[in-house]
Amino acid sequence: MSHPELLSGLSAVCGQYDALFCDIWGVIHNGRQHFPPAYEALKRFKAERGPVILISNSPRPRDSLIAQLESLGIMDDGFSAVISSGDATREYLRAYAPQGKAWRIGDPREQTLYDGIDIALDGTPEDAAFISCTSPYDDEHDTLDRYRADFKTAAARGIPMICANPDKVVQRGDKIIMCAGSLADLYMELGGESIMAGKPYAPIYELCYGALKGLTGKPHDKSRILAIGDGLPTDVLGANGEGLDLLFIAAGIHAEQATDADGRLDPLLLKSLLDHEGAEARYVSEALRW
């Protein structure tokens, strides 16, 4: 696979693209504060080039996510639309809810995922018809061992898990936090089935293409869309699967694997990281900036 081109800033290639599909967490904020250079880059692209669609594996629907962005100081001058894994997942929940109770796994703050859906959330590993997982119960302290025994019970019964966030980990402030994708991986290791709609899977991208058409009034041209993200299993492989050019932000959750002891991007480490996942990136930068 070819080496990605090191970019000093988005302005160097923005003329080649009419729209951005940009990841949120790890690229424009860390859950505690937003990154001003990244926000400025999105504002400039939207003002000078075209739509900026933020694409997130958050289990929250878009309205809740937009409120979170505003609380971090990111306003709609930096984006044209927001698409979340929660939005894409709600269609699966509507389809499975009539089958019976769901065993709900996740933080109570993610209740907005279920708003407006007729779904029973009081199931257990022993009696649920399916699992709905948005996050660990306590993402600051939980380990996978907390879930192993119950997952064995549920997997033996053959019930599927609907995972609303395929991310395995995310950076919150200076901590790496476990996400629902890690729980889905464990469930599959134990013989269970996991269903996911967020990155890298197609349903969330279909919502993005639909939003882009609504904004521009014309069909999309994939060669004119640039994807931006920092997660290899999600952002990078998702863009690769969709045939989109990608700007890989390498100083996010993969910083230790892609940078040297001084925090600088190491081309050999970066190439090894991408090759290990069978992934490609057209461009790479340690952070998003104009």
Side-chain angles (χ1 to χ4, degrees):
M1 297 181 184
S2 59
H3 287 272
E5 177 185 346
L6 179 62
L7 284 190
S8 59
L10 186 59
S11 60
V13 297
C14 68
Q16 301 175 37
Y17 302 100
D18 301 323
L20 299 181
F21 286 179
C22 185
D23 181 40
I24 298 178
W25 202 308
V27 175
I28 63 176
H29 74 69
N30 64 5
R32 303 294 189 195
Q33 59 192 25
H34 80 264
F35 307 143
Y39 184 22
E40 180 63 25
L42 297 184
K43 289 194 289 185
R44 290 285 297 271
F45 189 95
K46 181 183 177 183
E48 300 175 20
R49 292 297 309 161
V52 173
I53 295 179
L54 300 184
I55 173 173
S56 171
N57 269 352
S58 169
R60 303 181 183 190
R62 66 171 62 84
D63 289 346
S64 178
L65 200 54
I66 289 172
Q68 181 188 38
L69 290 170
E70 291 177 349
S71 74
L72 294 170
I74 301 169
M75 306 302 170
D76 61 7
D77 55 355
F79 60 87
S80 311
V82 177
I83 302 295
S84 76
S85 179
D87 293 321
T89 301
R90 283 168 63 84
E91 296 307 311
Y92 285 121
L93 293 173
R94 289 190 180 97
Y96 275 84
Q99 297 184 19
K101 296 186 292 185
W103 171 27
R104 174 184 176 175
I105 302 173
D107 190 309
R109 291 175 297 180
E110 292 149 356
Q111 174 62 34
T112 53
L113 176 67
Y114 307 105
D115 288 352
I117 299 177
D118 184 11
I119 184 171
L121 298 170
D122 57 346
T124 68
E126 293 77 19
D127 67 7
F130 64 99
I131 305 166
S132 178
C133 179
T134 57
S135 68
Y137 293 117
D138 182 350
D139 61 12
E140 294 275 354
H141 303 102
D142 278 1
T143 66
L144 292 176
D145 284 342
R146 175 176 181 176
Y147 302 89
R148 191 176 300 274
D150 284 340
F151 278 4
K152 286 181 179 179
T153 298
R157 295 181 54 237
I159 66 172
M161 172 189 287
I162 299 174
C163 175
N165 179 359
D167 284 353
K168 302 176 192 301
V169 296
V170 71
Q171 187 168 2
R172 179 184 296 153
D174 58 357
K175 294 182 178 180
I176 299 297
I177 303 297
M178 182 170 66
C179 295
S182 292
L183 300 182
D185 283 351
L186 175 62
Y187 193 59
M188 288 187 287
E189 288 173 14
L190 297 172
E193 175 193 5
S194 291
I195 300 168
M196 292 178 267
K199 297 175 290 184
Y201 302 99
I204 194 169
Y205 290 98
E206 291 303 317
L207 290 180
C208 289
Y209 298 135
L212 182 58
K213 185 176 181 180
L215 290 163
T216 64
K218 57 185 179 182
H220 62 271
D221 177 354
K222 287 188 178 183
S223 70
R224 302 291 294 180
I225 301 171
L226 178 64
I228 304 172
D230 71 328
L232 264 170
T234 51
D235 303 306
V236 179
L237 293 183
N240 290 173
E242 293 296 315
L244 302 174
D245 285 351
L246 175 85
L247 168 56
F248 178 39
I249 304 302
I253 57 175
H254 298 291
E256 290 186 3
Q257 299 159 283
T259 57
D260 62 22
D262 296 320
R264 295 176 299 220
L265 284 177
D266 184 315
L268 293 178
L269 288 175
L270 177 65
K271 182 70 164 48
S272 176
L273 177 63
L274 290 168
D275 287 352
H276 182 265
E277 295 287 342
E280 294 186 357
R282 181 163 185 184
Y283 312 107
V284 64
S285 180
E286 79 279 4
L288 178 60
R289 61 175 66 88
W290 183 250

